[in-house]
Amino acid sequence: MQRTILITGCSSGIGAALAVELQRRGNRVYASARRPDTLAPLVEQGLQTLTLDVNDDASIAAAMSRIESEAGGLDMLINNAGFSQVGAVIDLTRADLRQQYETNVIAPVAMTRAALPLLRAARAAHGKAVVANVGSIVGILTTPFAGAYCSSKAAIPHSPMPCAWSWRLWHPGGDHPAGRVKSAFGDHAEEGLRLPADSVYRPVEKGIRDRAQAGQQGATPVDAFVVPVVTALLRETPPAIIRGGKNSVRLPLLKKILPLRTFDRLVSKVFGLDKFQP
């Protein structure tokens, strides 16, 4: 059965690769991003694209209106758009924190709410609809210098609302904790890095900059990452949680086995915090 699928955050990385793979398997994919010029490579591959700012209700409404007029319903919504705010939490401004939570936490709520009528139409026609929220391994374990991002991603597996959207309301559905996946995500994180001149963390600047690129070291190629994920998503009954990418299984297991103090000591050493005194 051909499914109609909307994916947010398709300018590069996981979103773009998911769009290509889902289209390759015969689905009608709407690949979206805030800046239409970033979607040009997907247009060249024959994908339908949408200009969609997940933080703008008018933009969301326009996207849903177009999908309704062209497709009549929506079988799957993949909330993939997000970004990483790198820097010590105490160095982030109110605006920094609001932007992080607007995009990574509030936007998926707004997207799901707006898509609900189309998802219900698809369920009435085909018997099911899916909301998939792309999470991160750091939503399960926290790493230094990314506290805002880690906590925003923790809302995906730990908040009861995403669970209700993805599983209880639209069963089957899924959350997708991604481990290290090769993309431009680290470059974007570096661009948004916060380290004020008077920061007490200036002595460990290298560790902060290393954190921006940490997820790209030895990362799984994105094209390889999406193949098993898409296979799982398209099952008749997809699993509630789909894991993919390097360390997406090993690190949560390590966190579960090791005492918290031991785990924190190991992670702190990686980013140069083992001997640092603020």
Side-chain angles (χ1 to χ4, degrees):
M1 179 190 78
Q2 184 189 61
R3 296 170 173 85
T4 299
I5 302 169
L6 169 61
I7 310 172
T8 65
C10 293
S11 59
S12 63
I14 291 174
L18 281 171
V20 170
E21 182 64 18
L22 284 163
Q23 172 98 341
R24 187 185 70 80
R25 301 200 196 188
N27 297 287
R28 182 176 190 172
V29 178
Y30 287 87
S32 71
R34 181 170 53 87
R35 291 170 41 216
D37 57 294
T38 63
L39 297 170
L42 298 181
V43 173
E44 293 174 1
Q45 296 182 63
L47 277 84
Q48 292 176 278
T49 60
L50 280 171
T51 301
L52 172 57
D53 183 346
V54 297
N55 292 326
D56 184 328
D57 287 341
S59 179
I60 294 172
M64 296 304 169
S65 179
R66 177 180 160 188
I67 294 173
E68 182 176 23
S69 65
E70 294 179 356
L74 184 64
D75 297 290
M76 185 182 299
L77 167 64
I78 301 179
N79 287 314
N80 170 70
F83 79 101
S84 174
Q85 183 70 75
V86 175
V89 172
I90 60 171
D91 285 338
L92 303 183
T93 65
R94 288 178 181 268
D96 291 332
L97 291 167
R98 286 193 179 106
Q99 185 181 14
Q100 182 72 95
Y101 284 94
E102 273 288 343
T103 302
N104 290 11
V105 180
I106 298 173
V109 178
M111 286 296 304
T112 305
R113 180 174 59 243
L116 193 59
L118 298 181
L119 292 165
R120 292 183 68 186
R123 188 179 67 169
H126 308 133
K128 66 178 180 179
V130 173
V131 177
N133 298 302
V134 177
S136 170
I137 199 67
V138 298
I140 301 171
L141 54 93
T142 304
T143 56
F145 307 126
Y149 177 64
C150 294
S151 61
S152 74
K153 281 302 184 180
I156 299 299
H158 294 150
S159 167
M161 283 305 296
C163 183
W165 307 329
S166 306
W167 182 25
R168 295 173 189 151
L169 179 59
W170 297 113
H171 183 74
D175 299 323
H176 307 282
R180 292 181 177 178
V181 181
K182 193 70 176 176
S183 70
F185 202 75
D187 296 332
H188 296 319
E190 181 96 26
E191 292 168 8
L193 188 148
R194 296 291 186 267
L195 184 63
D198 61 349
S199 173
V200 298
Y201 289 97
R202 273 286 171 183
V204 287
E205 178 176 353
K206 181 180 182 302
I208 296 175
R209 296 195 178 280
D210 286 347
R211 176 61 187 87
Q213 295 293 336
Q216 297 302 296
Q217 297 171 8
T220 302
V222 69
D223 292 340
F225 164 79
V226 299
V227 172
V229 169
V230 167
T231 297
L233 274 174
L234 295 180
R235 289 179 191 168
E236 185 62 27
T237 304
I241 297 176
I242 302 169
R243 300 188 186 277
K246 185 176 180 180
N247 292 330
S248 63
V249 174
R250 186 172 69 89
L251 284 181
L253 182 61
L254 192 64
K255 172 74 178 293
K256 192 172 183 178
I257 293 173
L258 291 178
L260 179 60
R261 190 177 296 276
T262 301
F263 184 84
D264 284 348
R265 186 166 60 248
L266 289 173
V267 175
S268 294
K269 187 174 182 180
V270 170
F271 296 101
L273 283 170
D274 53 326
K275 299 178 181 178
F276 173 70
Q277 293 293 327

